[in-house]
Amino acid sequence: MNDKELVKREENVSKENTSKEDSSKKVTAWKIAALEKNRLSMDDMLSFSCDNCGECCKHQNDLIMNPYDIFRLAKRLDLTPKEWMDLYADVYIGSESRVPVVRIKMIGDEMHCPFLKNSRCTLHRFKPDVCALYPLGRAVCYHDDPKEIRMDKPEVVYFHNGCRCGKEGSGQTVRKWLDSFGLMEREQFFIQWTNVVREVSAFVRNVEQTIEDEETISSLFGLIILHLYADYDMKKDFVPQFEQNI
C-alpha cells in the first residue's frame, strides 16, 4: 500500500469512526431518556416476592458475570477464578463491544443454572449481581441533565426490568432489596467495571482496525481475559487486585 492509499484508508476510517460516534451518542441519549422515565428511587416500593419456582434460573443466556461475581463464587467453592470459569462458564467476545464476556453455562434438559437444585439457589448468599438484582436492572449514567452526558459525574440508577416469575409481596423499598445482597456496597466497583468495559471496548476495536493477524488478536483477547477475570490471589481482597490489573 502506497502513501496515498494509506492516507485515503485513514481518512475513511476516521469518517467511519465519526459516524459511529454520532450514532452512539444518539443511542446513548435515547437510553438515558428511557432510564430516566423508568428509574426507581431508593425509597420507591418494590412489590415482589420470590416464590421459589426456579423459572428465572432456566433458559437464560444472559446471566453475565463481572470479575467480582466470579471471584466471590470461586472463593465460596474453594476454586480459582480460572477453575470456576472452566467448570461453570461460557466465554465469548461481545459482537458489538468486542470485550470478552463471561456468562453462566446452562446445563441439563431444562437448560438450568448449575447452581439450581430443587428450585433453590445453592449459592443464594453469594449469587452474582445480575441474579441478586432480579427483577431490577441497573446502569451507570454520567449526567445531571438527561440531555447532557457528564463523564465526571457517574451515578448508578436502578429500574424495574420486568419479571417472568415471582409474585407480589408485602412490599419493601428498593434500598432494602439492594441491601439484602450487599449490592449498594459494590456500587463503586460497578462504576469502575462499566468504565473499564467502555475503555477496553474502544481499545480492542481500534486494534482490530489496524491489525489483521488473527493470532495476534486471539492473544490479545487471552490477555484481557487473564487480567480482567482470572489473575487473582484468593487470599487477598479483590478490589485492590482488580485496580492493579487494570
Side-chain angles (χ1 to χ4, degrees):
M1 180 180 294
N2 60 39
D3 291 345
K4 289 184 178 180
E5 290 175 331
L6 181 60
V7 170
K8 187 65 176 177
R9 176 183 175 184
E10 290 178 348
E11 288 176 348
N12 289 337
V13 169
S14 178
K15 289 178 181 178
E16 181 182 350
N17 287 342
T18 299
S19 176
K20 287 180 179 179
E21 288 173 4
D22 290 343
S23 176
S24 178
K25 287 179 181 179
K26 290 178 181 179
V27 172
T28 301
W30 176 81
K31 287 182 177 179
I32 289 175
L35 287 175
E36 288 295 333
K37 181 179 179 180
N38 297 293
R39 69 183 294 179
L40 299 169
S41 73
M42 289 294 102
D43 296 318
D44 281 339
M45 298 301 295
L46 178 65
S47 183
F48 172 82
S49 177
C50 175
D51 58 9
N52 297 311
C53 67
E55 289 304 309
C56 60
C57 307
K58 301 175 184 176
H59 301 286
Q60 298 282 10
N61 62 2
D62 58 353
L63 297 184
I64 307 300
M65 305 290 99
N66 64 51
Y68 208 165
D69 291 327
I70 295 170
F71 183 88
R72 292 188 300 111
L73 289 170
K75 191 169 186 176
R76 173 62 177 173
L77 297 173
D78 197 24
L79 300 169
T80 66
K82 184 181 183 305
E83 289 170 337
W84 186 91
M85 287 191 289
D86 288 342
L87 289 170
Y88 300 113
D90 290 320
V91 182
Y92 64 96
I93 307 303
S95 59
E96 293 186 13
S97 71
R98 307 307 296 156
V99 175
V101 179
V102 179
R103 68 182 176 191
I104 291 182
K105 179 166 54 181
M106 300 290 107
I107 63 172
D109 295 336
E110 289 188 309
M111 294 299 291
H112 63 83
C113 173
F115 306 113
L116 183 70
K117 186 174 182 180
N118 298 324
S119 297
R120 301 289 182 92
C121 178
T122 57
L123 296 174
H124 181 70
R125 297 307 308 169
F126 302 89
K127 61 175 58 177
D129 287 359
V130 64
C131 300
L133 278 165
Y134 185 85
L136 300 180
R138 68 180 175 183
V140 177
C141 285
Y142 302 86
H143 64 96
D144 281 327
D145 187 319
K147 298 180 181 179
E148 180 185 7
I149 300 174
R150 292 288 303 277
M151 301 305 291
D152 59 327
K153 292 189 176 182
E155 176 191 14
V156 179
V157 298
Y158 297 91
F159 51 92
H160 200 291
N161 207 25
C163 50
R164 55 187 288 187
C165 58
K167 58 187 178 182
E168 288 193 6
S170 57
Q172 57 185 311
T173 64
V174 171
R175 186 189 311 278
K176 185 175 180 180
W177 183 264
L178 299 175
D179 278 343
S180 65
F181 288 101
L183 287 161
M184 293 186 69
E185 297 174 7
R186 295 192 291 276
E187 271 194 355
Q188 186 57 43
F189 167 74
F190 179 59
I191 292 172
Q192 285 181 295
W193 175 237
T194 301
N195 290 339
V196 167
V197 169
R198 188 184 67 253
E199 291 169 3
V200 172
S201 174
F203 171 74
V204 171
R205 282 181 282 148
N206 182 61
V207 169
E208 288 183 319
Q209 287 180 342
T210 56
I211 298 177
E212 297 180 355
D213 182 63
E214 292 185 4
E215 186 174 341
T216 300
I217 298 298
S218 179
S219 296
L220 173 63
F221 284 136
L223 286 172
I224 292 173
I225 292 168
L226 173 66
H227 288 292
L228 291 186
Y229 295 105
D231 189 18
Y232 297 96
D233 184 337
M234 305 308 290
K235 296 180 180 179
K236 298 180 180 179
D237 291 339
F238 169 80
V239 172
Q241 295 185 81
F242 174 78
E243 292 175 345
Q244 182 177 352
N245 285 356
I246 60 176

